[in-house]
Every structure is written in C-alpha cells, then in structure tokens.
Amino acid sequence: MLTIGLATIQTFVVGFIRVGGMLSAVPVLGSRTVPLRIRVLFAIATALLLVPILDVGYDAAFVTLPFMLSALAGEFFIGFVLGLALRLVFSGIAMA
C-alpha cells in the first residue's frame, strides 16, 4: 500500500513551484505557443520525478503558514532566476 505523508506532499509542492517558476522564464517552454496545460503537466511530471531526491530542509510538522508562503515565494524566485539564466544562455548562443 502506498502511503504519502505530509513531508512528501510539501516536497512535491516545493519542487513544483520551483520548476513552475523556471518554466515561466525558460525560452522554449515559457513561450505563448506552448499551451498552459502542457507546461503545467511538464512541471507536475518533473516535480514527481524530483520528489525522491529533494530535501526541503525543515520538518513538515512544525511549518507555519507564513513560513510556507515565504518559502514558496523564495522557491519561485529561485526557479525564475534559473529560467532567466537559461534564457540568457540561449540568447547568447543565438547572437553568436
């Protein structure tokens, strides 16, 4: 029987938010030509693949709502910056 605990759900949400932030800025999948459903499904699939190797670094039982919201905002920002860096690399390659 498969058991999914609170820590696993929080790890998935953190991974999903970071991957979603990255996909919003990455050149190929972040464009308007790719439907939103495809981007969301890709983010979910990637987050599910990352759950076993991610470590959120805090105990799931002691997380408050303000802490979780600030952590998710930070994760989105990190993902968005990674996506922008990748966009910058693609732009540099296109200019060369």
Side-chain angles (χ1 to χ4, degrees):
M1 183 171 163
L2 179 66
T3 59
I4 299 175
L6 182 61
T8 305
I9 293 171
Q10 285 181 344
T11 304
F12 168 75
V13 169
V14 166
F16 176 71
I17 293 296
R18 183 178 283 195
V19 170
M22 192 167 112
L23 287 179
S24 66
V26 80
V28 177
L29 292 172
S31 67
R32 293 184 182 180
T33 58
V34 178
L36 182 62
R37 285 185 184 180
I38 300 297
R39 289 183 277 176
V40 169
L41 285 174
F42 186 75
I44 289 172
T46 306
L48 283 174
L49 289 174
L50 291 176
V51 164
I53 61 172
L54 284 180
D55 181 28
V56 293
Y58 50 82
D59 190 12
F62 301 108
V63 174
T64 61
L65 183 62
F67 175 78
M68 192 64 180
L69 291 177
S70 65
L72 291 179
E75 292 294 328
F76 182 81
F77 181 72
I78 290 170
F80 190 75
V81 168
L82 288 172
L84 286 179
L86 194 59
R87 182 179 289 265
L88 184 65
V89 168
F90 272 77
S91 296
I93 291 172
M95 289 179 67

